[in-house]
Amino acid sequence: MDTTGMEKDIPKKIKASSSEEVNAETETEIVFVRALEYIKKKALDLLSQMNMQCQGIKDIQWVLTVPAIWSDKSKGYMMKWAIKAGMVDPSIPNHLIIAYEPECASLSVLCEMFDNGLLTFKFHFIIIYLFKKKKKNCKEVPGATEVKDEKKEKEKEKKTLLQTGDAYMMLDLGGGTADIACHEIKGPFEVKELIAPSGGAWGSYYIDKAFEFMLIEIFSSDHMNEFKAIHPGKFRELMSNFERSKCDFFKGEYNNSNSNSNSNNS
């Protein structure tokens, strides 16, 4: 993998971690086309189970997400493979949208924050208009409504983390890549791109490789290759357990910091 942060092309061949052969590689196109065929089937099956009227792929607008460091050439491959998988009809405009992963993650986080009351949108011009219109049609109580609303707004702002006009950086730290997006909140789930999405091959994949190198230093390369060849399932189980350990590495520290924070607030 390229660690420079430059745009990256998809390799022509990829190695399957589940293969019993140490150096077994498969054409990347075959893997992606089969995966897209499976996704298409699962999506159509789900729509059928939900009794939604769907005549096939033409009634679906597909959105596939890709890392920010993927080159235009790689995104072109994704479009080609989606067509080959029978997922996309090239004659239908915008049948497939290829979106950057950090931008989708950014909107997803905004939706979650809004649902949890951590995000507010300012509509001062609408509030002022409705307030003035209301005053014309009913008796005015000087100062009472304004003070009450202002107090509520201040209490609400204390609880929120972001609001309209704020800018933020979204870091999507995955297994293979780290993707970065910088956005400004313009309105209800509307953001402005401040800097073009970027990133690099800086995912936790490198922690896995460092763990493998450590095992090689301890047991030697010959013994590790022999272990992979004779017991591929056990090797996958070993790496899977390591993956879970990575996810839980800071869990105790995170829980302690939360408990300390809650005790200080109380």
Side-chain angles (χ1 to χ4, degrees), residues 9 18 21 37 78 82 87 113 163 175 186 191 216 233 245 259:
D9 290 335
S18 60
E21 298 180 34
E37 286 175 344
M78 185 63 80
M87 174 184 279
M113 291 180 68
Q163 58 187 6
K186 303 298 292 183
V191 295
I216 290 172
S245 298
S259 61

Side-chain angles (χ1 to χ4, degrees), residues 192-231:
K192 174 185 176 183
E193 183 179 275
L194 299 179
I195 302 174
S198 62
W202 310 313
S204 62
Y205 164 83
Y206 290 99
I207 301 176
D208 298 345
K209 297 308 293 183
F211 177 63
E212 285 191 54
F213 289 142
M214 184 191 73
L215 294 176
I216 290 172
E217 287 181 358
I218 296 172
F219 300 108
S220 82
S221 178
D222 290 341
H223 282 111
M224 285 305 301
N225 287 335
E226 183 181 357
F227 176 61
K228 289 181 184 179
I230 299 176
H231 305 288

Side-chain angles (χ1 to χ4, degrees), residues 57-68:
I57 61 165
K58 65 183 181 65
D59 291 334
I60 303 173
Q61 184 180 43
W62 302 92
V63 179
L64 294 177
T65 63
V66 300

Side-chain angles (χ1 to χ4, degrees), residues 2-69:
D2 177 22
T3 58
T4 61
M6 301 297 289
E7 283 193 341
K8 180 174 173 58
D9 290 335
I10 302 176
K12 292 183 179 179
K13 290 187 176 183
I14 55 179
K15 182 178 178 181
S17 61
S18 60
S19 175
E20 296 185 6
E21 298 180 34
V22 176
N23 297 315
E25 290 187 331
T26 307
E27 294 287 340
T28 305
E29 179 175 339
I30 294 174
V31 176
F32 272 82
V33 170
R34 295 294 181 271
L36 293 174
E37 286 175 344
Y38 178 79
I39 292 172
K40 178 191 71 174
K41 181 180 182 304
K42 295 298 287 185
L44 292 173
D45 289 346
L46 180 62
L47 291 173
S48 176
Q49 292 172 14
M50 298 174 66
N51 296 321
M52 296 185 68
Q53 293 183 354
C54 178
Q55 302 302 317
I57 61 165
K58 65 183 181 65
D59 291 334
I60 303 173
Q61 184 180 43
W62 302 92
V63 179
L64 294 177
T65 63
V66 300
I69 62 170

Side-chain angles (χ1 to χ4, degrees), residues 131-146:
F131 183 69
K132 287 182 177 179
K133 188 174 182 180
K134 182 179 179 182
K135 285 178 69 175
K136 289 181 180 179
N137 299 328
C138 62
K139 294 182 179 181
E140 183 177 337
V141 180
T145 305
E146 291 88 334

Side-chain angles (χ1 to χ4, degrees), residues 124-170:
H124 290 313
F125 63 98
I126 298 177
I127 293 172
I128 292 172
Y129 171 77
L130 293 175
F131 183 69
K132 287 182 177 179
K133 188 174 182 180
K134 182 179 179 182
K135 285 178 69 175
K136 289 181 180 179
N137 299 328
C138 62
K139 294 182 179 181
E140 183 177 337
V141 180
T145 305
E146 291 88 334
V147 173
K148 186 176 180 181
D149 289 347
E150 185 178 347
K151 185 177 180 181
K152 282 186 177 180
E153 286 297 318
K154 287 183 177 180
E155 289 177 354
K156 192 175 182 181
E157 285 182 7
K158 288 179 182 178
K159 297 179 182 178
T160 59
L161 297 178
L162 291 174
Q163 58 187 6
T164 307
D166 287 346
Y168 62 92
M169 178 185 293
M170 175 72 197

